[in-house]
Amino acid sequence: MAAVSWTNKMFGQCFRAARRTAGLKALRLLQHRTFRVGAVHWQQPFDSSLEKPQFPGASAEFVDHLEFIQPNVISGIPVYRVMDRQGKIMNPSQDPQLSKETVLNFYQKMTLLNTMDRILYESQRQGRISFYMTNYGEEGTHIGSAAALEPDDLVFGQYREAGVLMYRGFPLDLFMAQCYGNADDLGKGRQMPVHYGSKDLNFVSISSPLATQIPQAAGAAYAVKRQNTNRAVICYFGEGAASEGDAHAGFNFSATLECPLIFFCRNNGYAISTPTNEQYRGDGIAARGPGYGMLSIRVDGNDVFAVYNATKEARRRAVAENQPFLIEAMTYRIGHHSTSDDSSAYRSVDEVNYWDKQDHPISRLRHYMTARGWWSEDDERSWRKQSRKTVMEAFERAERRLKPNPELLFTDVYEEMTPTLNKQREALLRHVQQYKEHYPLDLYEKYIH
């Protein structure tokens, strides 16, 4: 018992935040901490004479009237923004005061991503690659958040975060190599297009199943916390993925384990093809944060500065305080969900045109730069021409490259090839030799022989 008393004295009682965001006052509630010592749970003592709830699962007061909590108790969470649609700063105190060079870099990365999307989308339509997903309309969420992170922060993406990787320095040649699955692809041609990854840039490879990255990010953030390396983890996902059970697991683990993790939800309105009014009830994704004990905020995802400010502050506090944050970036998917989708089946052309012409993150940032004399029509024409030329050159190089060695089908699973894999490899070799006229192995690097 002496050891227990000493432990309790050293740790004492600690505070947890019952957090409410966006206009709701943050309320600090005293919680009892349970410690595990010698396989026995010991709880801080409490005063049983007090006429208030002592249940360990919640912090509340007794009431003597029957009342169900309304679902809109945390409704109408406001949308934080810095710029209006014309690029005008609304509140000077919120201006991040970024340098001209930084803002130009934002704009050039956003437009370069847009140009790459157009070329690769058309490439798929021409049958040159098998699949593609554009980022039209969501460029501000990528660049604004990526710029607020540190280079060694770990990124878990979903499949529409190419701009984050581009901002970190991933070259066009590797984007193209991945989509073409050629010999330069870091994934060795094993993934379908847009499933990027880069160990050097701390960007975990994309996986197709929805929301699997969310609990993975929670585990990674817990490891980062234990290492005490001043790093954060950011996890991107869409509002559709937030309906998966993995989202609940990730939110709950990160909150209870107090992990330095930023959950970044791109709420673009339609998931794969399901509008938000059919996807959930309640006030979006940010409203879920308080239920898990997370600080949350809703931002204008088409305002790159609002995204930058929110992510930067969330990152600072996540690392300093070891706690998760939830950012819901409100934006709009202008393109189809993927090349397998026809969005005209579930939304109108007029709706899409509004977001494309009147509330686009790229045009908003351009208005900001033009008002400051940082960008002109000549600059725009020159940059568009140059960026298209750069993308097309990378595109052509990727198309000429050989495919990966087919033997790579069997590597990188075990340190040494297992008997079963060896049998499979030999069977493939026999098959290819027998039907060589159907396999253009001259298109592959170091083909099986």
Side-chain angles (χ1 to χ4, degrees):
M1 291 300 297
V4 173
S5 300
W6 181 85
T7 302
N8 287 347
K9 184 177 180 181
M10 289 297 292
F11 283 93
Q13 293 182 330
C14 73
F15 287 91
R16 288 185 179 276
R19 304 148 184 135
R20 290 187 177 180
T21 61
L24 297 176
K25 268 187 157 184
L27 180 63
R28 291 287 178 182
L29 298 173
L30 189 61
Q31 297 275 314
H32 292 302
R33 177 80 75 170
T34 301
F35 303 104
R36 186 174 178 83
V37 181
V40 178
H41 283 290
W42 296 88
Q43 191 173 38
Q44 298 280 359
F46 59 86
D47 188 350
S48 60
S49 66
L50 295 177
E51 190 59 35
K52 68 177 188 178
Q54 300 290 352
F55 309 114
S59 180
E61 298 295 330
F62 285 122
V63 295
D64 56 8
H65 58 279
L66 178 65
E67 181 180 7
F68 290 96
I69 297 173
Q70 296 296 318
N72 61 353
V73 67
I74 309 177
S75 67
I77 294 176
V79 180
Y80 168 70
R81 70 173 180 173
V82 175
M83 292 186 288
D84 64 14
R85 294 186 180 95
Q86 300 305 313
K88 179 183 177 182
I89 299 294
M90 305 297 294
N91 180 350
S93 70
Q94 296 300 302
D95 187 343
Q97 301 291 337
L98 299 173
S99 67
K100 175 182 177 180
E101 291 72 21
T102 299
V103 174
L104 289 179
N105 185 37
F106 280 15
Y107 185 76
Q108 290 177 338
K109 289 294 191 298
M110 290 164 72
T111 50
L112 183 63
L113 174 62
N114 189 268
T115 300
M116 183 182 79
D117 274 347
R118 294 183 188 280
I119 290 173
L120 285 173
Y121 181 84
E122 291 303 321
S123 173
Q124 193 281 334
R125 287 300 187 233
Q126 295 166 10
R128 295 168 183 259
I129 61 176
S130 61
F131 178 82
Y132 194 68
M133 303 181 78
T134 64
N135 303 276
Y136 300 148
E138 301 184 45
E139 297 90 348
T141 64
H142 299 193
I143 304 305
S145 59
L149 302 172
E150 294 297 324
D152 63 344
D153 289 340
L154 189 60
V155 178
F156 285 81
Q158 187 160 300
Y159 42 58
R160 211 182 301 277
E161 286 85 27
V164 177
L165 199 49
M166 181 176 285
Y167 190 86
R168 289 195 158 200
F170 200 67
L172 285 172
D173 282 312
L174 289 182
F175 278 112
M176 298 293 176
Q178 199 286 323
C179 288
Y180 270 87
N182 67 29
D184 295 329
D185 175 24
L186 298 180
K188 303 179 182 178
R190 296 166 177 153
Q191 285 269 34
M192 64 188 293
V194 306
H195 288 54
Y196 311 111
S198 173
K199 184 177 180 180
D200 291 342
L201 298 177
N202 295 302
F203 191 101
V204 179
S205 293
I206 305 298
S207 57
S208 294
L210 275 179
T212 55
Q213 76 276 15
I214 300 178
Q216 293 168 4
Y222 184 57
V224 164
K225 171 188 174 180
R226 290 177 63 88
Q227 290 170 343
N228 195 27
T229 54
N230 199 38
R231 296 174 70 193
V233 176
I234 188 167
C235 179
Y236 294 89
F237 56 97
E239 84 287 351
S243 295
E244 295 284 344
D246 282 345
H248 162 76
F251 293 166
N252 204 44
F253 269 119
S254 65
T256 56
L257 295 175
E258 300 175 328
C259 302
L261 174 56
I262 303 167
F263 290 110
F264 193 101
C265 176
R266 295 173 292 92
N267 191 335
N268 63 24
Y270 283 98
I272 292 178
S273 60
T274 306
T276 53
N277 67 322
E278 296 178 18
Q279 185 70 241
Y280 53 72
R281 293 292 183 264
D283 188 24
I285 308 304
R288 302 178 190 182
Y292 289 98
M294 289 192 292
L295 285 164
S296 308
I297 189 171
R298 176 175 289 153
V299 304
D300 183 346
N302 293 345
D303 179 349
V304 69
F305 293 160
V307 175
Y308 173 82
N309 284 351
T311 309
K312 189 175 181 65
E313 179 64 7
R315 195 264 172 204
R316 182 189 70 80
R317 292 188 61 183
V319 172
E321 303 169 14
N322 275 328
Q323 62 173 319
F325 284 74
L326 173 59
I327 298 174
E328 181 182 21
M330 309 304 293
T331 183
Y332 189 84
R333 169 167 60 75
I334 292 173
H336 305 294
H337 176 262
S338 73
T339 49
S340 302
D341 174 46
D342 177 8
S343 64
S344 66
Y346 52 85
R347 60 184 184 177
S348 70
V349 174
D350 289 342
E351 176 183 317
V352 176
N353 284 339
Y354 165 78
W355 292 97
D356 191 23
K357 305 300 182 185
Q358 298 188 44
D359 197 359
H360 198 289
I362 291 177
S363 59
R364 192 184 299 196
L365 185 58
R366 184 179 174 186
H367 288 319
Y368 174 88
M369 297 191 302
T370 301
R372 281 157 180 73
W374 292 355
W375 199 251
S376 66
E377 288 293 337
D378 288 342
D379 293 326
E380 182 71 13
R381 282 191 294 269
S382 175
W383 168 246
R384 291 287 183 174
K385 182 178 179 180
Q386 176 190 338
S387 60
R388 180 172 177 81
K389 180 176 181 290
T390 303
V391 173
M392 284 301 300
E393 288 173 349
F395 171 81
E396 291 166 0
R397 285 192 296 269
E399 208 164 38
R400 291 194 300 266
R401 283 291 281 128
L402 296 174
K403 297 295 184 182
N405 181 346
E407 294 195 55
L408 294 173
L409 284 169
F410 305 99
T411 60
D412 297 332
V413 177
Y414 299 99
E415 183 176 2
E416 295 182 5
M417 199 85 78
T418 64
T420 300
L421 282 177
N422 272 318
K423 288 180 180 179
Q424 292 177 3
R425 178 184 174 279
E426 291 166 5
L428 176 63
L429 177 59
R430 290 193 301 270
H431 176 82
V432 169
Q433 291 297 330
Q434 184 175 355
Y435 301 102
K436 62 178 64 176
E437 68 274 15
H438 298 292
Y439 295 94
L441 293 180
D442 56 324
L443 301 180
Y444 289 78
E445 197 172 63
K446 297 179 181 177
Y447 58 86
I448 297 177
H449 50 72

